């Protein structure tokens, strides 16, 4: 609907039950971005700034490509220059 572009829906947009709703949420771009921001906050001990959102989106894209591997997500976040202080 109205928020399709903002949320980044992918795959099936209909279904029945909590399991299918959870899969629909997990397959969205915004889910990967949200988890990446949370990992950034956890590893870097601060929220990402607006100027760092391009790096967050890049890591989120890699997170999706890695089939949502959390270990790699945290490693990638820790290795970003934004987290290391080279802003």
């Amino acid at each position: 609907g109205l928020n399709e572009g903002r949320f980044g829906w992918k795959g099936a947009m209909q279904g029945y039950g909590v399991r299918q709703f959870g899969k629909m949420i997990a397959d969205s771009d915004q889910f990967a971005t949200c988890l990446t921001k949370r990992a950034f906050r956890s590893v870097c001990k601060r929220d990402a700034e607006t100027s760092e959102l391009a790096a967050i989106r890049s890591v989120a894209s890699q997170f999706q490509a890695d089939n949502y591997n959390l270990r790699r997500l945290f490693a990638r976040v820790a290795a970003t220059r934004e987290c290391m202080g080279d802003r």
Side-chain angles (χ1 to χ4, degrees), residues 1 9 17 23 25 29 31 33 42-43 45-46 50 53-55 62 67 70 74:
W9 295 110
K23 179 161 177 32
I25 296 291
D29 288 334
F31 176 76
T33 301
S42 178
V43 172
K45 305 299 184 207
R46 64 179 180 83
T50 306
L53 291 181
Q62 293 171 336
N67 202 24
L70 286 172
F74 277 81

Side-chain angles (χ1 to χ4, degrees), residues 12-84:
M13 294 294 298
Q14 297 179 11
Y16 298 100
V18 174
R19 182 177 182 177
Q20 289 178 332
F21 179 69
K23 179 161 177 32
M24 190 171 66
I25 296 291
D27 287 343
S28 70
D29 288 334
Q30 197 60 30
F31 176 76
T33 301
C34 179
L35 277 177
T36 303
K37 286 179 181 179
R38 290 184 67 156
F40 187 92
R41 187 180 314 125
S42 178
V43 172
C44 307
K45 305 299 184 207
R46 64 179 180 83
D47 289 327
E49 296 176 8
T50 306
S51 61
E52 299 168 327
L53 291 181
I56 294 292
R57 283 191 289 273
S58 174
V59 173
S61 176
Q62 293 171 336
F63 177 52
Q64 287 177 318
D66 286 339
N67 202 24
Y68 300 97
N69 185 312
L70 286 172
R71 182 178 291 182
R72 286 187 187 155
L73 171 65
F74 277 81
R76 281 201 170 99
V77 166
T80 62
R81 61 178 227 218
E82 288 79 11
C83 189
M84 298 170 105

